[in-house]
Amino acid sequence: MLDTTLQISLVLGVALFGAIGVGLTLLGLPGIWLTIFVGAMAELIRSGTISWWTIGACVALGLLAELLEFVLSAVGASKAGGSKRAALASIVGGVIGGVLGAPFLFPIGTILGAALGAGIGASALEITKNGRTMFQSYEVGKGAAVGRLVATVVKSTLNVVIALVLVLAAAIP
């Protein structure tokens, strides 16, 4: 009975923290790593709950998600002719925008806030570059916003996959 109760508690804990991890990812925070950390803790609490191979595969997916986030955000700004400074500003602006947008229709406000923040950040720094017109800066900002939006959706989707894999691994002994 105690072992069954522990197993159910571990599954529920992994599910709860997986959902929290997805929410944090929508805010632009490292929610994937919280999700994986809790899965690893479940395995340490009760050996055999989630195999280390499964956790390793989730770490690989997490690293892929992080890489895609940076690549997609940077690609959005650079495809529109943005500088490295604009790409960096889009990342900072995306985090700030996500936090500021969170209170409004969470998680939609967070996602849109991050995209708008990325666009505003990239545009604001791009306009300071010599020879840039307002329209060119706007285009860089638009590219950064779209890139951030796509990056957030991709990263959050991968976090949902990671959470589901860990919950199913914990639930199916």
Side-chain angles (χ1 to χ4, degrees), residues 7 9-15 18 34-59 162-173:
Q7 186 67 25
S9 297
L10 291 173
V11 170
L12 292 175
V14 171
L34 173 67
T35 304
I36 294 169
F37 175 76
V38 171
M41 289 299 100
E43 173 59 21
L44 289 174
I45 290 169
R46 182 177 176 272
S47 182
T49 300
I50 301 171
S51 81
W52 288 109
W53 287 105
T54 301
I55 293 169
C58 289
V59 167
I162 289 168
L164 287 174
V165 165
L166 293 173
V167 168
L168 288 174
I172 303 169

Side-chain angles (χ1 to χ4, degrees), residues 61-154:
L61 277 176
L63 290 171
L64 175 65
E66 297 290 348
L67 177 67
L68 286 173
E69 179 182 33
F70 284 111
V71 168
L72 292 173
S73 294
V75 164
S78 66
K79 267 190 146 183
S83 64
K84 289 180 183 179
R85 290 181 340 138
L88 179 61
S90 76
I91 293 169
V92 173
V95 171
I96 293 169
V99 170
L100 293 177
F104 306 101
L105 294 171
F106 184 82
I108 295 167
T110 305
I111 295 168
L112 293 178
L116 288 172
I120 291 168
S123 290
L125 270 187
E126 196 62 24
I127 194 70
T128 64
K129 191 174 176 185
N130 282 341
R132 285 288 181 192
T133 66
M134 191 69 118
F135 179 76
Q136 289 169 324
S137 297
Y138 165 77
E139 288 297 315
V140 169
K142 184 171 78 171
V146 170
R148 177 62 186 202
L149 183 62
V150 171
T152 299
V153 170
V154 168

